[in-house]
Amino acid sequence: MTASRADEDSLLVEQFLDGSLQAFNELMAAHEDRVFGICLRIMRDREAALDAAQETFLTVYRKAEKFTGESAFSTWLFRVATNTCYDQLRKIKRRSADPLPEATDPADPQSDMAFLAVELRPDLQRALATLTPEFHKAIVLADMEGLPLQQVAEVLGVPVGTVKSRVFRARKQLAEALRNQTTDSERRNGDNNA
Amino acid sequence: MITMHDHDLDLVAAYAEGSATGAEAARAREWISSCDVCAQELDDQQLALASLADVGPVVLSDIERALLHRRVRESIAGEELATAPPARPAPRSGMWVKVLTGSAAAVLILVVGFGVVIPAFTGSDGGADFAAETAATIAAELAQAPSAELATNDDSSIASDAAGVSEMAPPPVQAFGDLTLEELTVMAAPIEMFDATDATVAAFEESPRDAPLPADRMAYSRALEEPLTCLDEGLGLLDGEVLWLGIATLDGQVIELYRSTPTLLALEAGTCTIVFPTE
C-alpha cells in the first residue's frame, strides 16, 4: 500500500466520521476487492466471502470511531475482515457437522469468466484446509494477498518474527499436504491398475 | 528463531522467495548443498510458493460488486430507518403509477411474439426519496461499474413449470427452469442490443432466434437469489406473469431484469427507474 493511499484513507475516515457517506463509499470502493480477496481465501466460497465482505464493511460503518489511526486504515480493515471471516466460519461450524465450506466448488468448467478463474485448484484448496487458522491466516495474508510482513503482523496482532515463523511453517505443512495428496492419488491409481 | 539445527531457515525461506541478497543467497546455497534439512526445507518452501504462485488476484465480478454495494446500502439504510424519527418519506408511490401505467402501455404496443422492443416510458423521481443519502451515494458509485454483463442461469436443460412465478417474492434460482432456453435467449437478447448500435435492434427484429446469449455472459450464482428491490417495490403488482431474470449492468448502471410478458423490463437498481423498454 502506498503512502498516498494511506493518507487518502486517513482523510476519508475523517470525512466519514464527520458524516460523509460519500467518504465511506470511497473507502469501500478502494478496498472492496482486497477485502473480498481475503474473505474468499479464508471462506473458500464466493457467496460466503461476499457475506463476510458485507459484514466487514458494515462493521467499519458502525465502528469507524474505534479506528485509532495508529495503524493504516487498511490494516485495521483487513483485521476486521479476517476476524469477521473466522467468526462466520465458527458459526458455520456450529451449525453444521461440516467444519468448513467444501473446497470442491472451484471454477465452473463451463465458464471462462475471468472472475471465476481465480478459484484455487482443488488439491491446493484441500491442502490449505489442513492448516491451522493461525497458519492459514498468515499464508493468506502474506503469500496469497501479498501483504508486507509488517502489515500482516499488525493485522494479526503478533510480532513480525511470529509471522515469519508461521508463514514458513505454513508453507512446509502445505507442501507436505500437497505431497500426501499426490502420493494418495498415485496409490489409488496403482490399485486401480492392479 | 525458526532453527531446528544450526542454519537459519529464515534465510532458506528468503532464498526460496528470491528475496535474499547476493551474499545471503550464496550462503544459503552453500548450506543447501551440504545440509539435508536445509535442502528439504527449500523443497517445501519452493513447492508451496510455486503452488501459491498460480493464485491470481481476486476481483469482484460486476454482479458481486453490485450485490455487495446493495447489501451494504440496504443494511445501512435499514439501520438509519430504525433509528430515524417515524415520519420517513413513503417509497415512490408516484413512480409506481408511472411504472404500472407505462408497462400497460408497453404491453399494448409491443410486437406480439418474442419480445421485440419498442416504446415505453422513462424516468422517475430519481429515487430522491430512497433512504436518504446512503442510497443515493452508493447508487452513484454503482453507476460507475463496467459495461453490461448479464448473469443468468447456465442450465440449458430448462423445464417448464410456471408455478409461483407471479408471486411477489422473487423466485429462487431454480425457477429459471420455468423458461425454455429459447425463451431465455430471446428475452435476454435485448440486453445484448444495448451493447451495440441500433443496427443490432434491426437484426434482432429480423431474426430474434439468431441473437444468442454468449456463453461467457452466463454465470449461475447463488447470489442471484438475493431479493430484488424492484420486485418488492411494485413489479409484482403488474398484471400477468412477472418473472425475475437477474441482475446485470447497462452502460455502467446496475439494472434488474424481469420478464413481463411479452417483453423484458430492465430497471435501474438504485431507483427502480425503467430503462428498458426505452422511450
Side-chain angles (χ1 to χ4, degrees):
Chain A
M1 188 190 55
T2 62
S4 61
R5 177 71 257 167
D7 293 344
E8 201 171 327
D9 285 350
S10 297
L11 187 61
L12 288 169
V13 171
E14 278 180 32
Q15 291 171 348
F16 171 52
L17 290 174
D18 285 341
S20 167
L21 280 168
Q22 181 59 34
F24 174 78
N25 294 338
E26 287 179 29
L27 283 168
M28 188 167 157
H31 296 288
E32 61 198 11
D33 282 317
R34 201 62 175 278
V35 165
F36 179 70
I38 290 170
C39 292
L40 181 58
R41 305 305 189 201
I42 295 173
M43 306 298 292
R44 306 201 302 275
D45 176 278
R46 292 190 84 92
E47 304 304 329
L50 204 58
D51 286 345
Q54 173 196 351
E55 197 52 43
T56 298
F57 284 110
L58 287 174
T59 301
V60 169
Y61 180 84
R62 294 172 188 135
K63 300 186 175 177
E65 75 278 359
K66 293 194 174 179
F67 170 62
T68 60
E70 289 172 9
S71 61
F73 169 76
S74 61
T75 300
W76 181 72
L77 175 65
F78 299 158
R79 187 185 306 152
V80 171
T82 307
N83 291 341
T84 300
C85 290
Y86 279 95
D87 282 348
Q88 296 206 355
L89 284 178
R90 276 191 288 274
K91 286 177 189 165
I92 291 169
K93 213 170 183 177
R94 276 200 295 271
R95 281 201 301 264
S96 164
D98 185 11
L100 292 171
E102 270 301 323
T104 53
D105 184 26
D108 174 357
Q110 300 301 313
S111 170
D112 59 355
M113 295 182 73
F115 79 89
L116 289 177
V118 300
E119 306 285 3
L120 301 181
R121 288 175 359 218
D123 62 331
L124 183 56
Q125 287 268 34
R126 284 191 292 272
L128 284 165
T130 66
L131 301 180
T132 63
E134 286 72 24
F135 287 4
H136 192 222
K137 283 181 212 175
I139 211 163
V140 163
L141 295 172
D143 282 349
M144 299 175 84
E145 287 302 314
L147 299 185
L149 290 179
Q150 179 62 43
Q151 191 175 15
V152 176
E154 291 173 11
V155 169
L156 299 180
V158 299
V160 175
T162 303
V163 173
K164 278 189 186 178
S165 170
R166 286 181 185 176
V167 169
F168 184 91
R169 290 156 66 191
R171 287 180 195 156
K172 185 176 172 66
Q173 286 189 9
L174 194 64
E176 286 168 357
L178 287 167
R179 283 200 190 94
N180 287 341
Q181 287 184 54
T182 306
T183 307
D184 289 347
S185 170
E186 286 170 356
R187 190 179 303 127
R188 276 197 301 276
N189 288 340
D191 290 346
N192 289 340
N193 294 335
Chain B
M1 44 164 293
I2 295 169
T3 52
M4 293 175 290
H5 66 312
D6 291 339
H7 296 137
D8 177 4
L9 294 180
D10 269 354
L11 185 56
V12 176
Y15 181 68
E17 292 166 6
S19 61
T21 64
E24 290 171 339
R27 197 158 74 243
R29 277 194 294 272
E30 186 184 326
W31 292 346
I32 290 158
S33 64
S34 61
C35 167
D36 290 344
V37 173
C38 294
Q40 181 60 51
E41 295 292 356
L42 179 67
D43 279 351
D44 289 346
Q45 297 292 306
Q46 285 178 330
L47 175 59
L49 286 167
S51 300
L52 294 169
D54 295 339
V55 176
V58 173
V59 178
L60 287 155
S61 68
D62 289 348
I63 292 165
E64 288 168 333
R65 196 179 307 279
L67 283 170
L68 176 63
H69 287 201
R70 170 180 295 174
R71 290 174 184 181
V72 171
R73 175 194 69 203
E74 289 178 350
S75 295
I76 291 172
E79 288 180 12
E80 289 189 345
L81 286 171
T83 57
R88 300 287 286 199
R92 299 199 297 279
S93 56
M95 187 194 75
W96 279 105
V97 171
K98 292 179 191 173
V99 169
L100 295 169
T101 309
S103 298
V107 167
L108 288 173
I109 297 168
L110 282 166
V111 176
V112 177
F114 281 116
V116 179
V117 189
I118 305 196
F121 29 75
T122 61
S124 76
D125 51 13
D129 54 354
F130 181 66
E133 186 188 358
T134 307
T137 50
I138 297 184
E141 187 175 334
L142 286 177
Q144 296 169 4
S147 62
E149 177 180 350
L150 175 63
T152 183
N153 199 336
D154 62 358
D155 183 358
S156 58
S157 60
I158 295 171
S160 58
D161 175 12
V165 293
S166 59
E167 291 176 7
M168 282 293 287
V173 164
Q174 287 84 342
F176 275 49
D178 295 329
L179 300 170
T180 64
L181 182 59
E182 183 179 64
E183 285 171 328
L184 177 65
T185 302
V186 171
M187 284 187 290
I191 303 305
E192 290 298 291
M193 291 190 290
F194 281 107
D195 283 343
T197 63
D198 288 342
T200 317
V201 178
F204 174 69
E205 287 178 0
E206 287 170 12
S207 180
R209 297 181 190 197
D210 290 339
L213 183 65
D216 64 358
R217 291 285 184 95
M218 303 174 73
Y220 170 81
S221 169
R222 278 190 289 124
L224 294 177
E225 294 179 27
E226 189 74 8
L228 297 179
T229 306
C230 297
L231 192 62
D232 292 339
E233 293 279 337
L235 268 186
L237 300 175
L238 290 177
D239 289 337
E241 180 183 87
V242 176
L243 179 62
W244 163 48
L245 294 178
I247 187 170
T249 57
L250 173 63
D251 294 334
Q253 283 183 327
V254 178
I255 57 171
E256 295 181 5
L257 301 174
Y258 300 88
R259 172 191 169 204
S260 177
T261 309
T263 190
L264 180 85
L265 286 178
L267 298 94
E268 187 183 338
T271 62
C272 293
T273 305
I274 294 180
V275 293
F276 180 88
T278 55
E279 196 167 29

